[in-house]
Amino acid sequence: MTTHPVDEVPPARHLLAFGLQHVLAMYAGAVAVPLIVGSAMKLSPADLAYLITADLLVCGIATLIQCVGFWRFGVRLPIMQGCTFAAVSPMVLIGTTGGGLPAIYGSVIVAGLAIMLLAPVFGRLLRFFPPLVTGTVILIIGLSLLPVAGNWAAGGVGSADFGEPKNLGLALFVLLVVLGVQRFAPAFLSRIAVLIGIVVGLAAAVPFGFTDFDGVGDADWLGISTPFHFGAPTFEASAIASMLVVALVTMTETTGDLIAVGEMTDRKVEPRTLADGLRADGLSTVLGGVFNTFPYTAYAQNVGLVGMTRVRSRWVVAAAGGILVLLGLLPKLGAVVAAIPAPVLGGAGLVMFGTVAASGLRTLATVDFKGNNNLTVVAVSVAMGMLPVGVPTVYEKFPDWFQTVMNSGISAGCLTAIVLNLLFNHLPSKAASAEKPGSAEADGLPPGGAEQGVEQPREEVV
């Protein structure tokens, strides 16, 4: 019996190289959440450093739970876990209006428990994610990540030299290196094109003064995150309510990511495996609340890397989880990775995030768009998903719970796609009900033509 590519264990040197590539792809996003929340709460540099190392440690543990799995926890696919950006605004609000970090951690623990309880319910919703919906969601995930890569390429949001030609030049150089390696290098090297691009970009960046390693000398050799470092958690109703909304958003995003990776790796996500993946999210979020960090979700950045490199082994991402645990325990190592300049990550990110969008288009290519409303479903869903990406302040006059849901382009687009698919392809249409059973429709399609290519079993369309 042949081993499925997802379960294959590559040689140790490949595991390390592929795993490191995954870590570099998600590192900037992983440390951004504690940095934003900690800075908004005006924490000391020592507390900020503590938040970051705690985050990296739990990122690694969460990734291992998701990839390796135990009992009914973990989807057992190549999925990287990291702090969700959907929680940033609510957490800043909780932390700065008197509750502080203990109130944040109390709400995070409750949200994690809620995710574990709701996981089987979400698992049964999988039939509402046919290729029409999944392709649209994967496309939106890729498109909504592209501005992140653009900001990195320009120097990183808030940097003094944002948009300088030298930053974009470095990002372009890294992009060309990644493309060159992928096109001309031997098979193994082409699969670590992103890692090579980042290493070559870093080597080019140092002599030109893009970065320095001063922070490495200041960092401690060993740092261990202890439970409830910032005090016992407090449970405030308003904080819990806003974090439960975040939990629903992250479950929707994770569902899209898990289905995307399932399609890229030719291992169909079933209702039970989806529930296992979401349950792992919930457990990781509870661990986040205990070990001084934040809610966890599947990282879309790494979905793009799986699609681009075509390395489908979950053990590669498990190795990445092990590297993150090391970075969390050894702050000096974390400081080395943190020294990579934003434009280097931007050049690599453009390829990876574009790959996610292209994967969505590939899935949509299997959907029938003739004589039905499927084009409208895609068009409106992409529009709703891109609205908060293109105009970040579009919903700022709305209530906080609405902003939490709709300011995430991924959850906004995903919810729109599900609702429109139900409206156009599941509710009986007037035209169909007027026709007699078995008769041809006015446009020559048999009754139910709208369903064609929409509700195919997913293994047929991959």
Side-chain angles (χ1 to χ4, degrees):
M1 185 178 171
T2 56
T3 307
H4 193 284
V6 167
D7 299 317
E8 283 178 357
V9 183
R13 69 180 190 280
H14 290 191
L15 270 179
L16 184 63
F18 291 144
L20 183 58
Q21 185 168 243
H22 272 283
V23 170
L24 296 179
M26 61 81 71
Y27 187 89
V31 300
V33 175
L35 271 175
I36 294 167
V37 175
S39 302
M41 294 178 63
K42 298 181 170 55
L43 296 184
S44 67
D47 282 346
L48 267 179
Y50 193 95
L51 279 185
I52 290 169
T53 52
D55 173 38
L56 292 173
L57 175 66
V58 182
C59 271
I61 294 168
T63 299
L64 288 167
I65 293 170
Q66 194 68 276
C67 293
V68 179
F70 67 92
W71 190 53
R72 305 273 12 120
F73 290 86
V75 74
R76 295 166 176 82
L77 284 171
I79 291 281
M80 285 292 283
Q81 297 286 104
C83 279
T84 173
F85 281 86
V88 169
S89 298
M91 289 192 302
V92 168
L93 201 65
I94 296 164
T96 53
T97 53
L101 284 170
I104 292 176
Y105 294 138
S107 64
V108 168
I109 290 169
V110 173
L113 293 171
I115 291 171
M116 283 195 275
L117 289 172
L118 289 171
V121 178
F122 255 73
R124 287 196 287 274
L125 297 178
L126 198 59
R127 64 196 179 91
F128 298 118
F129 286 86
L132 174 66
V133 173
T134 57
T136 304
V137 172
I138 297 165
L139 174 61
I140 292 168
I141 290 171
L143 292 176
S144 62
L145 284 171
L146 284 171
V148 176
N151 282 322
W152 286 347
V157 176
S159 63
D161 60 351
F162 187 85
E164 289 277 345
K166 63 173 187 174
N167 290 336
L168 294 164
L170 178 59
L172 177 63
F173 170 69
V174 171
L175 174 61
L176 292 174
V177 170
V178 171
L179 294 175
V181 170
Q182 205 173 2
R183 173 65 181 86
F184 299 109
F188 168 66
L189 290 180
S190 71
R191 289 182 167 182
I192 55 166
V194 169
L195 177 61
I196 293 171
I198 289 172
V199 170
V200 172
L202 181 60
V206 173
F208 287 100
F210 278 94
T211 188
D212 60 59
F213 293 94
D214 294 346
V216 179
D218 300 335
D220 295 327
W221 277 105
L222 189 65
I224 297 173
S225 180
T226 52
F228 308 126
H229 174 79
F230 295 99
T234 58
F235 300 93
E236 297 179 9
S238 59
I240 289 168
S242 62
M243 207 54 69
L244 288 175
V245 176
V246 170
L248 292 172
V249 172
T250 56
M251 290 177 85
T252 307
E253 291 185 0
T254 296
T255 299
D257 290 333
L258 297 187
I259 292 170
V261 171
E263 295 200 353
M264 287 177 181
T265 56
D266 294 331
R267 175 169 279 181
K268 182 185 172 190
V269 174
E270 304 284 353
R272 182 166 172 170
T273 49
L274 174 59
D276 292 348
L278 293 169
R279 207 175 280 117
D281 260 15
L283 177 60
S284 304
T285 298
V286 172
L287 289 175
V290 173
F291 285 96
N292 321 295
T293 174
F294 306 114
Y296 284 85
T297 187
Y299 252 34
Q301 289 93 316
N302 299 83
V303 175
L305 196 55
V306 171
M308 181 190 153
T309 61
R310 298 185 294 283
V311 176
R312 296 183 278 179
S313 170
R314 62 192 171 107
W315 297 103
V316 163
V317 180
I323 294 169
L324 283 171
V325 170
L326 273 179
L327 292 176
L329 295 173
L330 304 171
K332 214 173 260 299
L333 271 181
V336 172
V337 178
I340 297 172
V344 171
L345 294 171
L350 286 169
V351 191
M352 293 187 302
F353 305 161
T355 302
V356 180
S359 299
L361 292 175
R362 186 178 62 189
T363 302
L364 286 172
T366 66
V367 175
D368 180 20
F369 287 100
K370 292 176 185 168
N372 54 41
N373 295 294
N374 290 342
L375 202 61
T376 304
V377 175
V378 176
V380 177
S381 303
V382 171
M384 292 300 292
M386 290 298 97
L387 196 57
V389 176
V391 191
T393 56
V394 67
Y395 298 123
E396 66 178 13
K397 306 288 187 196
F398 284 74
D400 291 339
W401 66 267
F402 186 89
Q403 289 187 49
T404 302
V405 176
M406 298 303 288
N407 271 344
S408 162
I410 297 169
S411 65
C414 185
L415 291 171
T416 306
I418 292 168
V419 170
L420 292 182
N421 178 51
L422 288 173
L423 177 67
F424 285 115
N425 293 321
H426 288 266
L427 295 178
S429 67
K430 290 177 186 174
S433 58
E435 295 286 342
K436 292 178 184 175
S439 65
E441 298 221 359
D443 59 3
L445 274 178
E451 288 282 351
Q452 195 178 344
V454 180
E455 289 296 332
Q456 287 173 275
R458 196 165 287 106
E459 65 267 22
E460 289 176 22
V461 301
V462 175

